Amino acid sequence: MRAAQALNEIARIGREAPELAAYQQEPPQMASGIPGKCGYLRLEFARRGQRSVLAHMERRAPSLVQRALYWDEAMPHMPCVFMISTSGCLLQGDRQALDIHMSAGACGHVTTQAATKIHAMSHNYAAQHQQITLEEESYLELLPDPVIPHSGSRYFSTTQVTIHPTATLLYGEIVTSGRKHHAADGGFNFDLYSSTIGAQASDGAELFSERYLLTPKTQPLNIAGVMGSFSVFGNLILLTPMRHHAAILQRTLPVYDATAGIACGASLLPNQCGLIFKALGDEAHQVKSALRAFWQVAREEITGASLMPAFLWR
């Protein structure tokens, strides 16, 4: 039932989104949202004794996860989960839904096995809808690998967070300009990238919302005042109790270094709900490093634990 509701919600949002009005035609191969093109994943984390566990998992192909692992030596009680897509990429007409529920006192780290590649499209679009719920004293790091929108691709994403005032969510997103080193692409050649994230407190009070709509063929991104000479955009949203805000912000200094190819900085979110950290870089590894530095500060201030050294392949 949850899967059907989530996928119906994706269909409704896609029909009503004005930026997708020109992309409603059905693909000639497989219709949008049919079995095999509508992935669904629900993860429920719960506290069991001295550690947390992935207590429940529900999936629909092509979405799945590996078993929860405990490889983070700094937080050995925290299950770490890799989300996987058996399709290997996103194609026209694909729909994905993600539902994560953090029970009281639970913690978890969720990421992807690789970058998300959005292939070129002649019909329709690819869409994702995420629902994230955090109960009291829970802690979630949701940090997927970068998104690579290929030339001619269209991607639409919505994320809704419901969070208890005592809980913490670190949510990341990295978007590249595309395959900028590929002669047939060159970067900034996708049709549309639309991303909306909103959060509300557990009592229903609205906390914040952010939306950006990227259409580089009609509104260039590689110009002054937008991304300039940079090619990669990173966004980290930290929702956490107010007692952590000042210390994290004090330790996060703004940076602009054209030689090193990085610009980044943090600011407060409205309604005293958290902070937002943004970074621009020449390459994905520079943005990843900047986001990782903020992640380390946030984790140290909130949990008292640091980060393990980064894996060589990430």
Side-chain angles (χ1 to χ4, degrees), residues 117-129:
K117 294 168 281 292
I118 309 172
H119 279 214
M121 301 173 183
S122 60
H123 295 72
N124 211 259
Y125 56 91
Q128 171 184 260
H129 178 64

Side-chain angles (χ1 to χ4, degrees), residues 177 180 185-190 214-232 280:
S177 64
K180 75 171 190 175
D185 191 324
F188 294 116
N189 208 21
F190 53 90
L214 311 178
T215 55
K217 293 179 179 177
T218 57
Q219 295 178 310
L221 303 178
N222 53 346
I223 60 174
V226 187
M227 291 186 67
S229 62
F230 298 108
S231 299
V232 182
L280 295 175

Side-chain angles (χ1 to χ4, degrees), residues 26-313:
E26 286 295 322
Q29 301 88 359
M30 297 175 66
S32 61
I34 66 171
K37 294 183 70 66
C38 53
Y40 173 77
L41 187 60
R42 177 175 173 82
L43 307 176
E44 297 183 13
F45 293 87
R47 183 75 176 266
R48 297 285 189 270
Q50 297 301 309
R51 71 176 188 174
S52 295
V53 299
L54 178 58
H56 177 75
M57 187 273 288
E58 179 183 353
R59 74 174 187 91
R60 179 180 292 185
S63 298
L64 58 94
V65 295
Q66 289 183 331
R67 64 177 296 177
L69 302 174
Y70 294 85
W71 47 253
D72 194 326
E73 296 178 4
M75 296 183 69
H77 59 287
M78 180 174 69
C80 303
V81 174
F82 285 90
M83 298 185 294
I84 298 172
S85 172
T86 57
S87 68
C89 61
L90 287 176
L91 304 174
Q92 57 192 22
D94 283 359
R95 306 290 187 262
Q96 289 188 327
L98 174 64
D99 187 354
I100 299 180
H101 187 99
M102 306 298 297
S103 298
C107 63
H109 175 93
V110 179
T111 184
T112 53
Q113 90 280 22
T116 298
K117 294 168 281 292
I118 309 172
H119 279 214
M121 301 173 183
S122 60
H123 295 72
N124 211 259
Y125 56 91
Q128 171 184 260
H129 178 64
Q130 301 180 123
Q131 182 71 43
I132 306 166
T133 304
L134 296 98
E135 296 183 10
E136 60 269 23
E137 301 292 343
S138 61
Y139 177 89
L140 173 63
E141 299 172 346
L142 178 53
L143 301 170
D145 276 315
V147 176
I148 305 174
H150 291 198
S151 176
S153 64
R154 305 109 181 217
Y155 182 69
F156 180 82
S157 175
T158 56
T159 301
Q160 182 59 48
V161 178
T162 301
I163 185 168
H164 190 273
T166 62
T168 292
L169 169 66
L170 184 66
Y171 174 83
E173 183 177 24
I174 299 176
V175 183
T176 73
S177 64
R179 298 181 297 169
K180 75 171 190 175
H181 298 296
H182 189 274
D185 191 324
F188 294 116
N189 208 21
F190 53 90
D191 290 344
L192 178 145
Y193 188 98
S194 176
S195 177
T196 302
I197 179 170
Q200 63 179 18
S202 51
D203 62 3
E206 184 177 3
L207 299 176
F208 87 97
S209 64
E210 181 184 48
R211 177 176 182 266
Y212 50 91
L213 174 60
L214 311 178
T215 55
K217 293 179 179 177
T218 57
Q219 295 178 310
L221 303 178
N222 53 346
I223 60 174
V226 187
M227 291 186 67
S229 62
F230 298 108
S231 299
V232 182
F233 166 67
N235 202 32
L236 266 184
I237 293 170
L238 175 63
L239 304 179
T240 196
M242 188 177 64
R243 64 180 181 272
H244 303 302
H245 297 179
I248 296 172
L249 198 59
Q250 186 176 22
R251 292 179 59 187
T252 306
L253 300 178
V255 173
Y256 183 90
D257 190 334
T259 302
I262 189 69
C264 59
S267 61
L268 293 169
L269 287 169
N271 298 308
Q272 301 176 333
C273 68
L275 298 93
I276 189 165
F277 179 84
K278 294 182 180 292
L280 295 175
D282 291 339
E283 302 290 346
H285 69 87
Q286 295 155 330
V287 171
K288 280 185 173 182
S289 294
L291 267 58
R292 182 177 176 82
F294 180 81
W295 172 19
Q296 177 161 334
V297 169
R299 187 192 271 195
E300 288 175 351
E301 292 293 339
I302 296 167
T303 71
S306 188
L307 290 181
M308 288 179 57
F311 292 125
L312 294 177
W313 60 88

